[in-house]
Amino acid sequence: MAKKELKRKRIDNLNNENIPQPEVLPAKRISDEPPPKKIKWINKQRVLVFATRGISYRHRHLMDDLKTLMPHHRPESKIERTKNLQVINEISEMKNCNKSILFEGRRKRDLYLWFSNISVGPCAKFLVENIYTMAELKMTGNCLRGSRPLLSFDENFNTKPHYGLLKELFVQIFGVPNHHPKSQPFFDHIYTFTILDNRIWFRNFQILTEDGGLAEIGPRFVLNPIKIFANSFSGEVLWDNPSYISPAKFRQSLKKNIAGKYINKVEQKVAQESSKPKESYSLNPMDEIFKGDPLKKAIELQQKETKEVQANESGKKKKIKMRLGKKIKKTNSKKKKRN
């Protein structure tokens, strides 16, 4: 039995020697090869991006553009406007999201954006102006889907405390986590946030060269800050914009100005007609003597003068007759009284 076992071991060793063994990978990696992705990613930022019912098609396209730019987002169906906004905290916790972006549409024309840090706060409300989507712009820039962006902020973000708070909120929401499963491990586009006219201007550029050559991709929009709340969709108001005017009031003021212009025009016309003279210019008939044949004009003037003289004489005769008739009536009435 021992001899048979020894023979089997020798045959197995010979068979193993004939089988080709796998090659060992080199310790160094070629630079052209993509780096291996880590299985675990530490920064687990998930952003819930959704909207309320009733937004327009342009606002919906803007929301879709932001979803394509943010590989770490989570979608959600629309919610009713009648619901309390604090329900969003529960929805985001169910989706394992710690940030949220809410698109709130009003009157099919106004768009409000909510950026919130779930369960802790703060929360910021913005009015979105000058919206241009990727389909409308038709820019030459392009970037790989899921690549990580560089965030560029204006120096004015360090001047005031509420701008610093918004800067940190934007960094946590728009910044793609490193080694995210749906992201690419390199940077090829940049987000710029600039402050101008008390508003935040958002632009998206492609990085063309290392020297700083850029090409705009889109989308474009301007954020007009309204309020900053202490908690997520609730709490005390940390900051309120004193120069903010709602778009409904702005449109109402424009209508009033247009109505005021019309009323002023009507009043000016009435005043002009009331103060307008009946005769704009008294013409001198002697000025037309030298127009045409002077002899004919002289004869016409003589005829006019004779007619006027005759009319005056006839008027005088009528007046004399009237006076004589009145005197005769008075004398007759006196005689009757005497008798």
Side-chain angles (χ1 to χ4, degrees):
M1 294 294 291
K3 290 180 179 180
K4 289 181 179 180
E5 289 177 1
L6 290 171
K7 284 181 180 180
R8 285 177 184 174
K9 287 181 181 180
R10 287 174 184 175
I11 291 165
D12 293 330
N13 291 329
L14 291 171
N15 292 330
N16 291 328
E17 289 177 1
N18 294 326
I19 295 171
Q21 296 180 356
E23 296 180 359
V24 180
L25 294 174
K28 293 183 179 180
R29 181 178 60 82
I30 302 171
S31 62
D32 295 336
E33 295 179 1
K37 287 188 177 181
K38 290 184 180 180
I39 298 171
K40 294 181 180 180
W41 46 293
I42 300 167
N43 183 13
K44 294 188 178 182
Q45 293 283 349
R46 298 183 185 89
V47 183
L48 184 67
V49 181
F50 67 115
T52 59
R53 195 172 296 280
I55 63 172
S56 63
Y57 68 97
R58 290 188 68 189
H59 303 160
R60 188 176 66 254
H61 290 319
L62 177 63
M63 182 176 66
D64 293 337
D65 292 341
L66 287 181
K67 285 181 179 180
T68 55
L69 293 175
M70 299 167 66
H72 60 293
H73 82 278
R74 289 287 179 89
E76 178 63 23
S77 60
K78 296 178 182 178
I79 64 169
E80 297 292 337
R81 289 183 293 178
T82 57
K83 289 185 178 181
N84 192 1
L85 293 178
Q86 294 181 4
V87 180
I88 299 169
N89 298 326
E90 298 178 2
I91 296 171
S92 57
E93 287 178 0
M94 291 169 61
K95 290 279 186 177
N96 293 326
C97 297
N98 51 7
K99 301 290 186 296
S100 68
I101 298 176
L102 175 65
F103 289 79
E104 184 182 0
R106 295 180 185 174
R107 300 184 181 181
K108 296 284 186 178
R109 59 172 68 183
D110 304 328
L111 178 64
Y112 294 90
L113 257 181
W114 293 79
F115 293 94
S116 176
N117 185 18
I118 299 301
S119 72
V120 179
C123 178
K125 183 181 179 182
F126 298 92
L127 173 67
V128 187
E129 301 171 347
N130 301 331
I131 299 171
Y132 294 96
T133 59
M134 287 184 184
E136 292 177 345
L137 289 174
K138 296 181 181 178
M139 294 293 183
T140 57
N142 192 7
C143 66
L144 190 64
R145 188 184 181 93
S147 60
R148 299 180 66 198
L150 292 173
L151 302 180
S152 174
F153 291 92
D154 191 9
E155 294 179 354
N156 294 323
F157 278 94
N158 299 324
T159 56
K160 295 181 180 179
H162 63 276
Y163 284 143
L165 182 63
L166 294 176
K167 177 182 177 181
E168 185 62 28
L169 192 63
F170 291 151
V171 168
Q172 294 182 13
I173 289 175
F174 288 99
V176 179
N178 193 10
H179 302 295
H180 191 276
K182 294 183 181 179
S183 67
Q184 300 294 332
F186 51 84
F187 300 92
D188 65 345
H189 61 113
I190 181 171
Y191 298 157
T192 60
F193 297 89
T194 55
I195 296 172
L196 181 65
D197 194 16
N198 296 325
R199 289 167 174 82
I200 299 171
W201 300 64
F202 175 85
R203 296 289 185 272
N204 182 19
F205 295 96
Q206 179 196 0
I207 301 172
L208 296 175
T209 59
E210 295 180 357
D211 300 335
L214 300 174
E216 189 171 358
I217 303 171
R220 291 181 184 177
F221 56 89
V222 180
L223 298 174
N224 187 4
I226 302 172
K227 288 182 181 180
I228 299 175
F229 299 94
N231 299 328
S232 179
F233 296 101
S234 62
E236 298 180 358
V237 178
L238 299 177
W239 178 79
D240 189 3
N241 190 359
S243 62
Y244 170 72
I245 300 171
S246 65
K249 286 185 179 180
F250 182 72
R251 288 191 292 267
Q252 187 179 4
S253 64
L254 290 177
K255 288 180 181 179
K256 285 183 179 179
N257 291 331
I258 293 168
K261 288 181 181 179
Y262 176 73
I263 292 167
N264 289 330
K265 284 183 181 180
V266 173
E267 289 178 354
Q268 286 177 3
K269 285 183 180 180
V270 172
Q272 187 179 4
E273 288 177 358
S274 62
S275 62
K276 186 177 180 180
K278 294 180 180 179
E279 293 182 359
S280 61
Y281 181 73
S282 58
L283 296 174
N284 188 4
M286 302 300 291
D287 294 337
E288 297 180 357
I289 292 174
F290 300 100
K291 292 181 181 180
D293 192 1
L295 293 174
K296 290 182 179 179
K297 290 290 180 72
I299 293 166
E300 289 177 358
L301 289 173
Q302 283 181 356
Q303 291 176 356
K304 285 182 181 180
E305 287 180 357
T306 53
K307 287 180 180 179
E308 288 177 356
V309 170
Q310 290 176 0
N312 291 328
E313 288 179 355
S314 62
K316 287 180 181 179
K317 287 180 181 179
K318 287 180 180 179
K319 289 180 180 179
I320 291 166
K321 288 181 180 179
M322 291 288 289
R323 288 176 183 174
L324 290 172
K326 287 179 180 180
K327 286 181 180 180
I328 291 165
K329 286 180 180 180
K330 287 181 180 179
T331 52
N332 292 330
S333 60
K334 288 178 180 179
K335 287 180 181 179
K336 287 179 180 180
K337 288 179 180 179
R338 288 176 185 175
N339 296 324

